[in-house]
Amino acid sequence: MSEKIAVVTDSNSGITQEQGKELGVYVLPMPVLIDGKEYFENVNLSQEEFYRMMENGADITTSQPSPESVTQLWDKLLETHDKILHIPMSSGLTGSVQTAKMLAQDYSGAVFVVDNHRISVTQRQSVMDAKAAAAAGWEAERIARFLEETGRDSSIYIMLDTLKYLRKGGRITPAAAALGTLLRLKPVLQIQGDKLDAFAKARTIKQGKKLMLQAIQHDCENRFGTPDGSGLHLEMAHTMNDEEIQIFRDEFAELFPGQEIYIDPLPLSIAVHIGPGSLAVAVSKRFKFDGTAGAV
């Protein structure tokens, strides 16, 4: 008889509380501190409310779930499940992974904390892979090991509309932000496993989108060996940029005809650093789960 496994993630995956219920996934909401008051993503703070307060100049910081909120959820789930797979966002972007690993030591091997170096749409895909593997009868330990081994089989590229929030968060100097604003630069950042890093600078939105699409094409061909995108999950994300992401989606689809493209808003833990108006493209390897795991 196979283990009954509960899959837990956080709202950095982009999975809302409502979607979690539909998918059979348990989602820890990420805390957001705004002008000294604590809110929780997708619980008492919507994307729209967040950006409205951000644009009004609110002081915003993000945090990780409290140890109590994590263990309370685990305790409740272990009343009805044998094992827990806990999939937070990348350890390179948060301390949540190390905190959860420390807490899991008290659970006698019933909780597996997975650091698979992902966030947003790629983290969401790891959650979906975990569900698929559990449904195929895989044990929790095997799933956790597989997710950690394959976590870096993904890429994200993000084009910012403004340097204002990188400067505000101390990610770049005021002088560099001022020069970038003067030159109307559209920085393109990347997430390759652990950190949010610089990738390129564009002078226009059109050039920025072209750079990101070229980067994804390069990864598909050279890293994943599938120039047409087959055997991959193609994904997109944005920060309060619904109209432009649909236009960009059509340009993305032209490069990979016939392939599905999943779109989600970026989580608030990333949005607080980059602000509204961003566009992102991502890719992660597609797996099948039967007796032996492998790329589709």
Side-chain angles (χ1 to χ4, degrees), residues 220 226-234 256 259 286:
C220 288
T226 56
D228 63 355
S230 59
L232 300 172
H233 295 285
L234 303 179
F256 301 101
Q259 302 297 335
R286 187 185 298 271

Side-chain angles (χ1 to χ4, degrees), residues 77 88 97 107 109 112 125 137 140 214 216 243 263 271:
L77 291 175
V97 174
Y107 282 78
F112 293 88
Q125 189 52 55
Q214 287 175 339
I216 285 290
E243 188 175 328
I263 301 176

Side-chain angles (χ1 to χ4, degrees), residues 208-220:
K209 291 196 290 186
K210 183 179 179 181
L211 284 169
M212 289 194 291
L213 293 179
Q214 287 175 339
I216 285 290
Q217 281 184 299
H218 179 271
D219 288 348
C220 288

